Amino acid sequence: MTMPALRAALAAALSVPLALAAPAASVAWAADDDPAKVGPVKIGMVTTLSTKAGYLGADVRDGFRLAIKQGGGALGGVPVNLLVEDDDRDPGKGREIAERFVTRDDVKIMTGIIFSNVALAVIPKVVKDGVIYVSPNAGPSQLAGKGCHPYHFNVAWQNDNLHEAMGQYATDAGFERMVILAPNYPAGKDALAGFKRFYTGGTVVSEVYTTLGQSDYAAEIAGIRNAEPDAVFFFLPGGMGINFMKQVHQAGLGESVQLIGSGFSADHKLLNAVGAAADGMLNSAQWSPDLDTPVNAAFVAAYRAEYDAVPTIYSQQGYDAALAIGAALEATGGDLSDLDAFAAALKQADFASPRGDFRFGTNNFPVQDIYLRKAVMDPDGTLRNEVQGVIFEDHVDAYAAACAMK
Amino acid sequence: MLLFIEQVLNGLQLGVMLFLMASGLTLVFGIMGLINLAHGSLYMIGAYVAATVTAFTGSFLLGLLAAVPAAALVGAVIERGVMRHLYDRDHLDQVLATFGLILFFNELMVILWGRQPLFMAIPEALSGTVELLPGVPYPVYRLVIIAVGLLVALGLWGLIARTRLGMRIRAGASDRETADALGVNIALLYTGVFALGAALAALAGAMAGPLLAVEAGMGESILILTFVVVVIGGIGSVRGALAGALLVGLVDTLGRAFLPQVLRLVTDDATADGAGASLAAMAIYILMAAVLVWRPKGLFPAHG
């Protein structure tokens, strides 16, 4: 929901610095002695910047832009021009933008989509049309299994991975009675299925489905108290999760029941909107701002310096999408005439990710560690995630076997 | 049994919240004949102002006291600037214009406050739980919401039934032209009623702040329920809004709480959980349809 006129005005305002920067970049490139390749490589980013979930897309974009800035306007030494458009979380609009990128701008590399419903409308179409797509977020099962494609890569996770990790954690932690809860829609059902796939340590005493967009959880919380579980696993993206955590705390359940969930319910922006009620929440993610590696420390410091904000997992995913593309551009010298060669170079994943070890599996989805994180409160009252340990090492998604690629 | 009592309280609390929203909407709808989709935006403005002032001053009460007049003022400005031009128009025009206002206010909140949801704490004195009955701890804050809502209901009844202003509101509702001819300043009355509705919506929003995510678009999720309440209660009737709100609150809460369990008696658990959730989501609409079949003008129709 946006005001198109206002958006157009904003877009116009934003495009001024881009327009100013573009000639400078092409001048630099023209100095190169190869006249056949004039102009930077265009990368089309279809992402969600409006709606309530708009900060996800904004963080992906900011992470991606940071990598370009660090390369001096280039990725892997090849000058790039990032085109960003807002899909409004609308599959039809996403498809429209993608088609415009292909026909008008002759884009060969795309990225950016946040939501799986948009991804399913766009990705199968563009990879068929000869575009390399690097997903910084959405990883629906349909594209990981039978629908895998040599031109489609995902640098984030397959949608189920973080939920699976919490299922494994609940087993490891010896939780014998679980209540699990998600909205009644496909991603909610997938989340609970992912959790149950690795939860073998006890019984799910109650599986609760809420209405999408529900704001009051008093009825469900009373039911949780009555079921007396050891822990509650929930998948309630965005504002729904904030509402739920606040209300659980106010019902006095915070002490007796451990809340666990995926990193989607627990980036520090959400945690700080929940406040003290989120203290101690356990969650899973492929990365955390406090991961103690030199690459990660440099990334977090650069991101803070650039945007005066702590990066979220979405920032890291956007950053890694840019690094992955950069590595392939470097290996191919920016030559996009042979996309098969470019895809082969991309698959090497020859870049240093802030998350640590990373490679693509046979289906071009990540093979990576999943960490356990805990929300902790700093003395000044702000909440942040702290890594507790590794739940999965080199985790491969459940659909890779169904992919025909080798 | 204890669980049932707790769920009834939860239903009452949701109902009271809906009443605060529905009373304003039904007055505007009934008296001015105006469909105002932007009522949820006033709720959102109430929550944002309350969260900001509370964060700044540390006092929930000040937040509440700032939010209510702020939203009333915005309401008055909207009435003078936009709604005034819509009274003689088709309902469809009103829907279009007020839908535009929703988009406008959602973007405005994002521009002013950013996309990140705001944090709003529960006042210290109202946090925690009390044991109403042994074994049923209940959050104090939710009890306070129930109390405030019932007080507002009483106050509104007094205002409309017992005061001169209320008499004018009733007169304006039953016959606009005659009331105007008898010297009632209809233009001022309409602005006042709209501002009152905005103030009640802001009160609901401000009180919901500590329970919910304060974010752009938060008004839409409650708006739909509010319209269901108004239709069930009878358009223009505050009494109907109260009855409708409590009914919707109870049916929605009890449906979510117990339908899956009831279905487990007749089918396997997984099917029951899924179907129960779907049925619970539909319950209030089924209720609305049933009421409309029985009483096409709602439970307490204001006119005839």
Side-chain angles (χ1 to χ4, degrees):
Chain A
M1 297 216 192
T2 51
M3 241 173 37
L6 180 70
R7 187 138 33 78
L10 278 176
L14 286 174
S15 64
V16 170
L18 273 183
L20 289 176
S26 43
V27 168
W29 186 249
D32 201 281
D33 53 7
D34 185 355
K37 288 185 258 168
V38 178
V41 170
K42 286 180 186 159
I43 300 174
M45 178 177 275
V46 186
T47 196
T48 306
L49 299 169
S50 51
T51 79
K52 289 185 200 174
Y55 80 91
L56 308 187
D59 282 359
V60 162
R61 177 197 62 196
D62 289 351
F64 202 100
R65 279 193 180 152
L66 177 66
I68 298 177
K69 180 146 196 262
Q70 288 177 331
L75 289 173
V78 178
V80 296
N81 182 9
L82 181 68
L83 312 167
V84 183
E85 291 222 31
D86 178 13
D87 62 25
D88 231 359
R89 202 176 177 169
D90 174 353
K93 199 164 169 196
R95 198 162 165 146
E96 219 173 85
I97 296 167
E99 273 167 20
R100 200 159 59 227
F101 278 155
V102 172
T103 53
R104 183 191 68 189
D105 302 310
D106 199 25
V107 162
K108 292 278 178 225
I109 305 171
M110 266 192 230
T111 182
I113 296 174
I114 301 297
F115 291 99
S116 292
N117 57 341
V118 182
L120 288 171
V122 172
I123 296 172
K125 169 95 170 67
V126 295
V127 293
K128 211 172 72 204
D129 290 350
V131 168
I132 300 280
Y133 184 86
V134 180
S135 177
N137 202 67
S141 54
Q142 293 91 329
L143 302 181
K146 279 209 178 90
C148 66
H149 193 281
Y151 287 0
H152 171 231
F153 294 83
N154 183 305
V155 297
W157 20 254
Q158 196 283 314
N159 285 358
D160 300 358
N161 289 164
L162 303 191
H163 310 299
E164 290 170 343
M166 275 342 259
Q168 182 66 46
Y169 169 72
T171 305
D172 296 345
F175 293 144
E176 285 171 5
R177 294 169 62 81
M178 292 292 307
V179 170
I180 60 178
L181 180 137
N184 198 11
Y185 78 127
K189 291 186 170 157
D190 286 352
L192 297 193
F195 177 87
K196 286 190 288 186
R197 191 174 297 137
F198 282 84
Y199 178 59
T200 53
T203 46
V204 172
V205 287
S206 172
E207 190 168 333
V208 185
Y209 288 103
T210 62
T211 310
L212 195 60
Q214 186 172 324
S215 48
D216 192 90
Y217 293 91
E220 288 78 6
I221 290 167
I224 290 171
R225 175 183 290 123
N226 198 46
E228 295 182 338
D230 295 323
V232 175
F233 170 81
F234 69 100
F235 170 65
L236 294 167
M240 291 186 284
I242 299 176
N243 299 343
F244 179 72
M245 279 192 267
K246 278 180 161 184
Q247 292 168 25
V248 164
H249 186 69
Q250 278 157 22
L253 269 182
E255 289 88 42
S256 54
V257 174
Q258 174 69 49
L259 286 183
I260 68 174
S262 60
F264 309 128
S265 303
D267 65 57
H268 63 270
K269 294 185 178 183
L270 294 177
L271 293 177
N272 284 301
V274 175
D279 197 3
M281 190 229 168
L282 292 169
N283 64 87
S284 52
Q286 79 285 1
W287 169 87
S288 181
D290 68 323
L291 267 185
D292 192 17
T293 67
V295 177
N296 190 47
F299 163 64
V300 174
Y303 194 93
R304 292 188 85 135
E306 184 71 21
Y307 304 110
D308 193 25
V310 179
T312 60
I313 55 170
Y314 313 104
S315 318
Q316 176 263 324
Q317 290 158 197
Y319 186 72
D320 274 15
L323 293 186
I325 293 169
L329 284 172
E330 188 171 8
T332 57
D335 179 11
L336 290 169
S337 57
D338 182 357
L339 284 181
D340 290 340
F342 187 84
L346 233 171
K347 188 145 189 172
Q348 297 308 310
D350 186 16
F351 64 97
S353 168
R355 81 189 95 184
D357 290 346
F358 174 88
R359 63 186 164 88
F360 289 114
T362 51
N363 57 350
N364 292 353
F365 273 69
V367 177
Q368 61 184 347
D369 294 352
I370 309 281
Y371 298 96
L372 178 69
R373 312 190 301 179
K374 183 181 182 182
V376 294
M377 191 178 265
D378 282 334
D380 65 352
T382 54
L383 286 146
R384 62 184 175 82
N385 277 301
E386 197 177 77
V387 172
Q388 305 294 304
V390 177
I391 302 174
F392 281 139
E393 279 183 24
D394 292 340
H395 185 56
V396 180
D397 65 84
Y399 307 95
C403 171
M405 292 194 302
K406 287 284 174 292
Chain B
M1 191 59 208
L2 289 179
L3 182 64
F4 184 76
I5 294 170
E6 186 178 355
Q7 298 291 22
V8 167
L9 279 175
N10 286 333
L12 276 181
Q13 184 260 319
L14 179 61
V16 155
M17 212 65 166
L18 288 174
F19 168 71
L20 289 179
M21 289 292 288
S23 54
L25 194 66
T26 203
L27 280 177
V28 169
F29 209 166
I31 294 174
M32 310 180 189
L34 179 84
I35 298 181
N36 178 22
L37 292 184
H39 202 63
S41 298
L42 297 160
Y43 167 87
M44 171 176 72
I45 290 169
Y48 266 94
V49 172
T52 308
V53 174
T54 304
F56 193 68
T57 63
S59 159
F60 176 73
L61 197 65
L62 282 179
L64 210 60
L65 289 178
V68 171
L73 186 70
V74 174
V77 170
I78 294 177
E79 199 276 337
R80 292 264 154 146
V82 182
M83 303 302 178
R84 183 140 295 185
H85 309 287
L86 298 172
Y87 293 139
D88 298 329
R89 296 242 196 153
D90 200 44
H91 280 321
L92 188 61
D93 290 350
Q94 299 174 352
V95 166
L96 276 177
T98 52
F99 185 70
L101 283 177
I102 293 183
L103 302 183
F104 171 76
F105 280 113
N106 282 348
E107 277 307 313
L108 186 68
M109 294 299 127
V110 169
I111 291 169
L112 291 179
W113 274 280
R115 283 193 191 287
Q116 187 171 342
L118 299 189
F119 169 70
M120 189 172 174
I122 266 199
E124 202 62 44
L126 304 180
S127 60
T129 56
V130 284
E131 289 213 11
L132 286 181
L133 291 167
V136 187
Y138 200 75
V140 177
Y141 189 72
R142 285 186 189 263
L143 289 176
V144 171
I145 291 180
I146 296 178
V148 170
L150 294 179
L151 279 179
V152 168
L154 202 65
L156 262 187
W157 171 79
L159 176 76
I160 289 170
R162 291 293 164 90
T163 65
R164 184 160 284 270
L165 177 65
M167 206 160 74
R168 290 193 176 134
I169 291 177
R170 279 180 288 144
S174 16
D175 194 328
R176 194 190 306 184
E177 282 82 14
T178 310
D180 198 14
L182 290 173
V184 176
N185 186 343
I186 290 287
L188 192 64
L189 185 72
Y190 278 16
T191 310
V193 169
F194 199 87
L196 175 68
L200 290 172
L203 179 64
M207 286 200 308
L211 291 175
L212 305 182
V214 178
E215 61 183 349
M218 66 183 285
E220 276 84 273
S221 49
I222 195 165
L223 182 75
I224 296 167
L225 281 178
T226 308
F227 268 103
V228 172
V229 166
V230 168
V231 170
I232 288 179
I235 292 165
S237 159
V238 175
R239 194 163 47 135
L242 182 62
L246 295 182
L247 204 57
V248 167
L250 284 172
V251 168
D252 188 49
T253 305
L254 296 180
R256 276 190 284 135
F258 296 116
L259 268 180
Q261 268 120 305
V262 171
L263 286 181
R264 276 180 180 217
L265 299 176
V266 290
T267 172
D268 65 289
D269 289 4
T271 320
D273 288 339
S278 306
L279 262 183
M282 281 189 281
I284 55 163
Y285 303 102
I286 296 171
L287 171 74
M288 179 169 79
V291 167
L292 289 182
V293 167
W294 175 46
R295 289 195 164 189
K297 288 190 160 185
L299 294 175
F300 298 96
H303 310 291

